[in-house]
Amino acid sequence: MKIAVIGASGLIGTQLVERLTAEGHEVVAASRNTGVDVLTEEGLADALDGADVLVDVLNSPSFEDDAVMSFFTTSTTNLVAAAKKAGVGHYVALSIVGLDGLPDSGYLRAKVAQEKIVAGSGLPYTLVRATQFEEFTDQITDSLAVGDEVRVPDAMIQPIPGWKVASVVSRAAVAAPLSGYVNIGGPQKISFEQMARDSLARRGGTKSVVVDEKAKYFGTTLEERSLVTPD
């Protein structure tokens, strides 16, 4: 099977290329580093030539509201058009658990727009919605710092290691299209408070952790279970 991985130089893309190659698939590792630009379409047709599956694990270089919306709508529109021309039979996209319930986040609004473009494309597709990556818990903790405190929302989080995400996405790539989505999450649902305390302890941080009902997660207020998979 020939599989084009778009966003192949990122955390998940790198591991995905390794896994699919080890399984014996013909893998095209496409990124700006290999001359493929999803915004200008440079190199895109060549990357998808003869591909059976397109796996989209792109991420926006900017999280600013307008920029992230422009990135995902433009890149996905271009990928869908190129996939149709190339006769790709399955579009797999990595997305986020709970994204459609948090419209105050510009990033998640952009991911919702991405999903809608894929689902409305007419291409057979699978959306893999993952919880927050374990590798980013330090970054999330730091984003909640206010002075000498880390002010966390009264909510749950379910960190999943990147290797597990890559494993599930690789399985989705070689399986039949779902024409829908699947949720995947880490092994434990923990509080933001515990995540932050663990992150600080691991790095020798001295900030105090405070649960704050008004604390926002990348611009949005969370319900207790906004970011975790259903039971």
Side-chain angles (χ1 to χ4, degrees):
M1 182 178 289
K2 186 173 183 179
I3 302 171
V5 177
I6 312 296
S9 62
L11 172 67
I12 304 303
T14 302
Q15 297 179 66
L16 192 57
V17 169
E18 291 176 356
R19 282 179 173 272
L20 291 169
T21 301
E23 292 171 5
H25 300 288
E26 181 182 354
V27 181
V28 178
S31 69
R32 292 186 69 180
N33 294 336
T34 63
V36 178
D37 191 319
V38 294
L39 300 181
T40 66
E41 300 179 82
E42 180 183 357
L44 200 50
D46 288 341
L48 296 181
D49 185 32
D52 302 294
V53 182
L54 182 162
V55 183
D56 178 357
V57 287
L58 288 167
N59 201 6
S60 173
S62 170
F63 281 18
E64 189 274 325
D65 285 4
D66 292 340
V68 72
M69 179 63 77
S70 176
F71 176 84
F72 279 118
T73 54
T74 301
S75 64
T76 311
T77 297
N78 290 344
L79 284 170
V80 162
K84 287 182 175 180
K85 289 180 181 178
V88 172
H90 188 186
Y91 191 123
V92 179
L94 179 59
S95 193
I96 302 170
V97 165
L99 78 170
D100 39 11
L102 298 168
D104 291 340
S105 166
Y107 185 86
L108 295 182
R109 287 197 302 271
K111 292 294 289 184
V112 169
Q114 177 194 30
E115 285 197 358
K116 287 182 177 179
I117 293 169
V118 174
S121 68
L123 291 167
Y125 71 94
T126 299
L127 302 172
V128 179
R129 291 181 174 182
T131 54
Q132 283 60 42
F133 300 160
E134 186 177 277
E135 290 85 348
F136 294 160
T137 54
D138 290 348
Q139 179 182 334
I140 293 169
T141 298
D142 292 345
S143 76
L144 298 166
V146 180
D148 292 333
E149 297 178 333
V150 177
R151 306 193 70 84
V152 300
D154 187 13
M156 306 294 288
I157 191 166
Q158 192 178 356
I160 184 170
W163 70 263
K164 183 63 175 179
V165 177
S167 174
V168 175
V169 174
S170 68
R171 294 205 303 271
V174 300
L178 291 179
S179 294
Y181 70 87
V182 60
N183 286 318
I184 62 171
Q188 289 185 306
K189 297 173 183 177
I190 61 175
S191 66
F192 264 78
E193 181 182 13
Q194 180 180 337
M195 177 206 70
R197 291 189 188 282
D198 291 347
S199 171
L200 291 171
R202 184 171 57 249
R203 295 181 289 162
T206 59
K207 294 182 187 297
S208 58
V209 179
V210 178
V211 178
D212 182 355
E213 293 181 356
K214 296 181 180 179
K216 294 186 176 182
Y217 174 76
F218 293 110
T220 190
T221 301
L222 300 176
E223 299 294 334
E224 181 185 15
R225 301 175 64 83
S226 294
L227 298 179
V228 301
T229 56
D231 289 332

